[in-house]
Every structure is written in C-alpha cells, then in structure tokens.
Amino acid sequence: MAIEVIGKSNYTKQVLALIAKIYDNTVVADSVYEQAIQCFSGVELKQKQQIGLEQQVQLFESRLAQGSAKDSASFERQYQQAKAELKEFNQQLSEESFQRFSYLKQICITILQLTRGDSSDETLQLTAKMLGTIQLSSPTEGRNVALINQKSKHLYKAVLSLLLLDKLLFDNDISNEYILQRAKAKAGDYNDFDSYHPFRDDVQIPLLMAAILQDIGSCHPEVQKIIYGNDGKADPFRVMDNAERTSMLQVSYSQTLKYVTEQLEDSYQGNSKVERKTFIENSQQRKLFMQQLLKGAIKAESGIGNLLKIPQVYTSVVLSTKPNFVYETLPRVSLVLEKGVEKGVYSNTAVKSLLAITGIFPQGFGITYIPKDSDDQDLDRYEYAIVTGLYPKNLHEPACRMVTRNLTYNVSAQGCIVSVGNNLYYPTARKKLAVISQERLLEIFKLLVSNYEERKNMSLLPKCWHPDEYFSYVKNQNLWNRVVMHRN
C-alpha cells in the first residue's frame, strides 16, 4: 500500500511562492510589502539627502556666477562634482523605483501565465484552480488563520479582479473608454510578454498591480504604529475602535497613492526617441489608470473602482483576518455583498456579476451532501465534496469534485452539481437525515473524520467539512482536471 505524502505539489508550490513574493516576513525582506516597509522607512531621509544635494548644486552655481575669474576653475570643479553627485543620487532613486516596479510586474505576468488559457473554458478552469488552491492552503481553524489569510488575500483579490473585469466586459457593463479602447485594439500574441499587447499591458497588468497594492499604505510607519500600537505589541488583527480604524484607513489610502505615484517607475530600454516618447506616454496612462482604480474603490458607485472594491469585500470574508472567524460562515459572503447593495454602498451590477462567477460557495469550500442511488433516490448518508467550478448555473448549486464515495476517500471520484435539497448547508437537506439514528450518524462521522477524538463534539449533521487537512496530501491537490459531472 502506497504511503500518503503530506507536502506540496509543484503547482501548489508555485501558488505559495507567488503569495510569498507579494506578502511575507523573512530575513531577506524581498516581498512587495516588505520592500514597501523599507521604502517608506527611508523616504524622509532620502528626501533630505536630495534637498541637500540640490542646495549644494545651487550654492556652487551661485558662487561660479558671482566669483572672480581666478576662482572660477575651482568653483567649476565643485559645481560639476555637485551636479554629478545629485545625478548619481537621482539615478539610484530611479533604479530602486524601477526594481520595485519590475519585481511587481513579473508577479503580475506570472499570475496571467497561471490563470489565462487558450480558451475561455481553460481560463476559468485555471482561475478556479488558483483560487481553490489559495483557499485550501489556508487553515480553517486555529491560531494561524488570520496570519496566513493576511498573506494570501492580495493574490486572491487580484485574481478575482481579473475575473470581474472579464465578466463586466462580456456583458457590456463597462463604459470606461481607456479599458474599452484597449480591449478592442488590434493585438499581437498575448503570450509573448516581450512584445506589447494593449489589453494585457495597459489594463490587466495595471489592474493586478492596483489590486496587490491596494493596502500597501499600511506599510507606512505611521500606519504600522496604529496597527501594532506604540509599544509594537498590540494584536494587529484586533477589532479597532472607530477613531483608530478611520485614522489607519485615511493614512493608508493617502500613502498608497503616494507609493504608486512616486515609488514605482518603469524604465525605457532602448535608443529610439519616438519609442521612448510612446513608452513614457503609455507608462503615464497606466499609472493614471491605477490611480483611478484606487481612488474609485473608495466610492465605487458604478465606476471602475468596483473592479477592486467588490473583490476586496469578497476576499475580506472568505479569507477573513477577524478574531471571530468561523469557517462555515464563508458562504455568507453573498449576504454581505447583497446587504451592501441594499444600503447603496456597493454596485448592484458588480455584485451580481461577481456572484454569477463564484456562486454562493467559494472555491475550495468543503460541501457535505446527500448522494443519490442509481434510481435517483436519496441514500441514508452524506458524503464530502469540494467546490471546484466557477459560473454555476444556479448560484446555490455549486459545481464540485466528489472527495468521498461510499464513505471512503476516493481520489478518482467524479464531479457533481450539488442541489439545494441535498446540500447539508441548507436546513432542507439536514431535515432529510434527521430521521436517521444517532448510531448511524456516528458511524458515518467516524468513517469520514480522521481525528475523531478531537472532533467528537462536532455536529453529526455538519453544514460543511474542513478540507484543508485532506488537501495537505500531495495526491489530493489536483482537483481541477476534467471530470464527468453528475447532478446530485
């Protein structure tokens, strides 16, 4: 009998590496958010140095203009040296901005390479795989939930933003001329990242960047002080009072815009003046687009800010960092969004579009359901499945991969569309099994739950199950290959 191996498949490693490149806490400190902490902490000193060098240039320029002829040679040397020092300093700043930009851009390119297929169906499959892998790699309970979700949420939100963009464009629900012009523009090979592609380079990559950087202002020392307290020992995931939270959000927002505007800069590599001019114009337009996205996300209404705002709200629920996180409440994300629509704070169109993509149940969510026999009759048990499909035909009926069959874990299991009437998340299905004896339910429970002694106080009719332990085995990490789907 083969020994089951706990670990990471190559794909899971790729996704976790992406997460670490965006947000991590290491000695190397090379993630996007660690780079921002270093950048923010040194901004004031570098500004003083720059001002000092500029004043030095002005001083020697003035002396050269006013000095006597015999001193002119000396003043000229000092003037040229001061100019050289200022130029070198500014070049260093530009290089640092370019390095940060290039690092972030490569992350965005990798996201596109992992989620964009040769057809819309393949793109949805790859995107579901990315979202599901992020969710299933995150703990569903314990002390590390908030910490790991905090790291993962930026990538998850960015991928959702891409999906929402696709949906709104397909439904003609975007009126922004910048996006529409580039979506319709004549394009080259999408997969050739060395050549210009208007929609990919001017819309998708800036959107991914904006989604990843939406909270980058939280790295500013002033915000870090609020988050961790004056002594640096406060719980960063605590529930803040209104004054603290308002102050944190205001400073974070303003510093995010500053970071995008001042601390990230693409650089033209070439000798053509015409190409350089076009490159600079495109770079400026992309940066302006990112600023519009970030500003619009504060008061999205019906504008393009919804491309960030609605995925941000969705992600804040499914990858929650709140102390009172309860896994089984994840499907309530739809209620949170719909409530926001009722209050007039979220766009109805954007919310409907996102929920049409995700359905009620997030990717990777553990479904417990009542299976049917060959005569389409309900059986006297429940089984496990995992949500693996996007765009469910019915929002309440997720497309899943069966994980168990006949109360036995089965890697080669098929797919199923779980109906409301047989999904234990809903009271209707739980009532069906309420007539079954406690002994039978306990028997089912013992067969499905690995750590029975730790979980024996759980409900014998669970609304859902926690699939993160199942997903920790390498052989269980390819849930998105094509399978025959059955209706259950």
Side-chain angles (χ1 to χ4, degrees), residues 205-217:
I205 289 178
L207 173 61
L208 287 172
M209 285 184 171
I212 290 170
L213 297 175
Q214 193 173 6
D215 301 319
I216 205 75

Side-chain angles (χ1 to χ4, degrees), residues 17-23 30-32 35 101-113 155 208 212:
L18 260 181
I19 290 170
K21 285 181 178 180
I22 295 170
Y23 190 111
D30 60 349
S31 71
V32 171
Q35 289 176 21
F101 178 88
S102 298
Y103 187 85
L104 178 59
K105 183 178 179 180
Q106 187 54 54
I107 289 171
C108 296
I109 288 173
T110 304
I111 293 171
L112 292 176
Q113 289 172 330
L155 176 59
L208 287 172
I212 290 170

Side-chain angles (χ1 to χ4, degrees), residues 16 19 133-141 145 148-149 152 318-319 327 468 471:
L16 295 179
I19 290 170
T133 298
I134 296 170
Q135 185 77 63
L136 288 161
S137 299
S138 304
T140 57
E141 54 193 356
V145 170
I148 293 176
N149 284 353
S152 304
V318 301
L319 290 175
Y327 178 74
D468 49 322
F471 193 73

Side-chain angles (χ1 to χ4, degrees), residues 56-94:
Q56 197 173 28
V57 169
Q58 292 171 359
L59 173 65
F60 289 123
E61 185 178 27
S62 177
R63 286 181 178 177
L64 183 61
Q66 298 174 8
S68 60
K70 67 175 184 177
D71 295 326
S72 62
S74 174
F75 288 149
E76 179 66 29
R77 282 195 304 273
Q78 291 174 319
Y79 173 59
Q80 292 300 331
Q81 183 179 348
K83 281 208 306 182
E85 288 176 359
L86 176 60
K87 182 180 179 181
E88 183 181 355
F89 184 81
N90 286 334
Q91 284 178 337
Q92 181 186 337
L93 293 182
S94 295

